[in-house]
Structure formats: C-alpha cells, structure tokens
C-alpha cells in the first residue's frame, strides 16, 4: 500500500485558509478519496487541550520561547496519534496549519526565535508536508475578519496590526525559501475560485 499524501494550509488569521482546507477535503471526499481533515494546534485529544492554553487569554500569557515548546509538544502528539497513523494506512491528510506556522508566528513575528524553532523541529517532528498552500491576504483586512468572528481564541489577533504585518511578511518569505513545496495562493477572491486553483495545482503536483 502506498503512503498517503500530506497537504497543509497556512496563512495569517482571517486569510480564509480553514475554508479552503474544508473545500479541498469535501472535493477529495466526493471524488472517493480516503482523506481526513485535521488542524493545529490540535488534531488529537492531548493537542486540543494544549490548544486552549495557547489561543485563549492575554497576549503576554506566554513568552515566545514557551510558545515554541507548547506548539511543538502539541504537534508531536498530533503527529503520533493522528497524522502518521493515517499516512501509514494510505490516507491523505489535510492539516489546517503545521510547522510553518511556528516558523512564521514564533520564529519570525514574535521574535528572532527561528533557530530554537528549527532545532526543536529537527529533534521532535522531522516531518514535512508534500505540499503547502499559503493563502495570502492583506493583513489588516484579515485581522478585521478574524476579530469579527469573536471566537474567544483571539490571543494572537490581539497582538495587533504590526504583528499581523510581520506575519504576512514572514509567510511571503517562507514561500520564497521553499518554492517547490509552498504554493502561493491569492486569497482576495471568491472561495470557490480559490478552491478551483488549489485543486488544479494539486492535480498537477501530486
Ligand atoms: P487557528 O486560528 O488557525 O486555528 O490557529 C490558532 C492560532 O495559533 C493562530 O492565531 C495562529 C497560532 N499559531 C501559532 O502561533 N503557532 C503555531 O505553530 C500554530 C500551529 C498556530
């Protein structure tokens, strides 16, 4: 049996990446594929518990360094319990965020923590997606969209407009540094049009 494909979606809060992950999941499911949709932080029982610590409360609740440790712990549990077993049984895995979020949020935007992020990733995760869709969106438009949801999970949105701009810049640099794996997607269009693009790129690539 061949190993499943690992597909991730990345972008700033309010970019529409969760909608796109869901639309791709629905499309592949309808085409009869064996596929799961999961998310980070979260995607396993333990990682969902860690998620609440990270996304709720005051922005200054954790330092950037502590966040790197918590996100990596959540990712390790998600990997062990959900992602790797699915890939091993030939299931396609779509994850709404993965390690690139830590590279950009903690490694670039929160502070200059990229070497800590990379070291922990190499030790505890050592897994990369086959393809990553990075949904790009104006940071201020995305921030308004994200905050309008009033999800109660706004700890990172509450870090403000400058933080959102640094994130947008960080994702743009991420695409440039991984041109084969990361596909830049213009998020300022109708969701259905974006989804068609993603389906076409996927069919060409995998
Ligand atoms: P979500 O809103 O896409 O579910 O993500 C929750 C928040 O966690 C979001 O503001 C981005 C942030 N985050 C990080 O800062 N680092 C990470 O590694 C991940 C996975 C998410």
């Amino acid at each position: 049996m061949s190993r499943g494909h690992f597909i991730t979606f990345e972008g700033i809060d309010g970019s529409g990446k969760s909608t796109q992950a869901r639309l791709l999941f629905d499309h592949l499911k309808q085409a009869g594929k064996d596929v799961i949709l999961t998310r980070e932080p979260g995607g396993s029982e333990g990682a969902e518990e860690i998620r609440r610590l990270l996304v709720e409360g005051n922005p200054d609740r954790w330092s950037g360094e502590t966040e790197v440790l918590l996100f990596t712990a959540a990712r390790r549990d998600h990997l062990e319990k959900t992602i790797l077993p699915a890939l091993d049984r030939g299931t396609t895995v779509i994850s709404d965020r993965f390690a690139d979020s830590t590279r950009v949020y903690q490694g670039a935007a929160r502070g200059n923590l990229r070497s800590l992020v990379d070291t922990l990733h190499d030790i505890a995760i050592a897994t990369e997606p086959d393809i990553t869709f990075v949904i790009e969106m104006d940071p201020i438009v995305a921030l308004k969209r994200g905050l309008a949801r009033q999800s109660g999970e706004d700890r990172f949105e509450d870090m403000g407009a400058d933080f959102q701009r640094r994130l947008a810049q960080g994702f743009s640099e991420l695409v440039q540094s991984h041109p084969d794996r990361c596909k830049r997607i213009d998020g300022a269009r109708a969701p259905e049009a974006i989804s068609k693009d993603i389906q076409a790129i996927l069919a060409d690539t995998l």
Side-chain angles (χ1 to χ4, degrees):
M1 187 206 298
S2 60
R3 196 174 163 77
H5 288 127
F6 184 24
I7 303 165
T8 58
F9 281 80
E10 296 282 359
I12 54 180
D13 299 285
S15 62
K17 67 176 173 44
S18 303
T19 302
Q20 290 306 322
R22 160 72 53 189
L23 287 171
L24 183 65
F25 171 76
D26 291 345
H27 168 74
L28 294 178
K29 197 95 193 143
Q30 268 169 21
K33 296 259 188 277
D34 182 7
V35 55
I36 61 166
L37 176 61
T38 184
R39 70 167 181 182
E40 288 207 351
S44 63
E45 205 183 320
E48 289 288 337
E49 287 187 26
I50 298 173
R51 176 186 177 94
R52 282 193 287 283
L53 297 174
L54 282 159
V55 298
E56 294 173 9
N58 289 331
D60 60 4
R61 183 176 185 184
W62 311 109
S63 68
E65 286 83 348
T66 309
E67 282 173 13
V68 177
L69 294 165
L70 288 170
F71 278 114
T72 307
R75 181 161 306 126
R76 175 72 200 197
D77 195 61
H78 184 209
L79 199 62
E80 283 177 9
K81 307 274 173 46
T82 306
I83 297 176
L84 293 179
L87 295 176
D88 286 346
R89 59 176 188 266
T91 301
T92 293
V93 174
I94 300 174
S95 187
D96 179 352
R97 297 194 186 281
F98 188 65
D100 293 320
S101 281
T102 316
R103 291 178 180 126
V104 173
Y105 276 75
Q106 283 68 42
R110 285 283 271 142
N112 188 12
L113 298 176
R114 186 57 193 266
S115 77
L116 174 64
V117 170
D118 287 346
T119 303
L120 276 178
H121 179 85
D122 291 347
I123 295 169
I125 309 296
T127 301
E128 296 298 340
D130 298 304
I131 186 165
T132 298
F133 294 102
V134 180
I135 315 292
E136 293 203 322
M137 170 69 88
D138 178 88
I140 303 308
V141 174
L143 182 59
K144 282 193 189 132
R145 263 166 66 162
L147 287 173
R149 282 186 205 135
Q150 297 190 310
S151 63
E153 293 190 331
D154 295 334
R155 192 171 154 260
F156 288 93
E157 279 105 323
D158 289 343
M159 291 183 190
D162 280 348
F163 183 67
Q164 290 293 313
R165 287 194 197 94
R166 289 201 295 280
L167 289 174
Q169 176 66 25
F171 278 115
S172 180
E173 287 167 13
L174 177 88
V175 175
Q176 283 165 29
S177 56
H178 298 86
D180 292 338
R181 174 172 66 83
C182 294
K183 311 294 175 192
R184 183 193 303 272
I185 302 291
D186 174 7
R189 294 174 295 152
E192 295 72 22
I194 300 172
S195 186
K196 288 271 178 258
D197 265 11
I198 289 173
Q199 290 166 26
I201 294 170
L202 194 65
D204 275 357
T205 315
L206 294 187

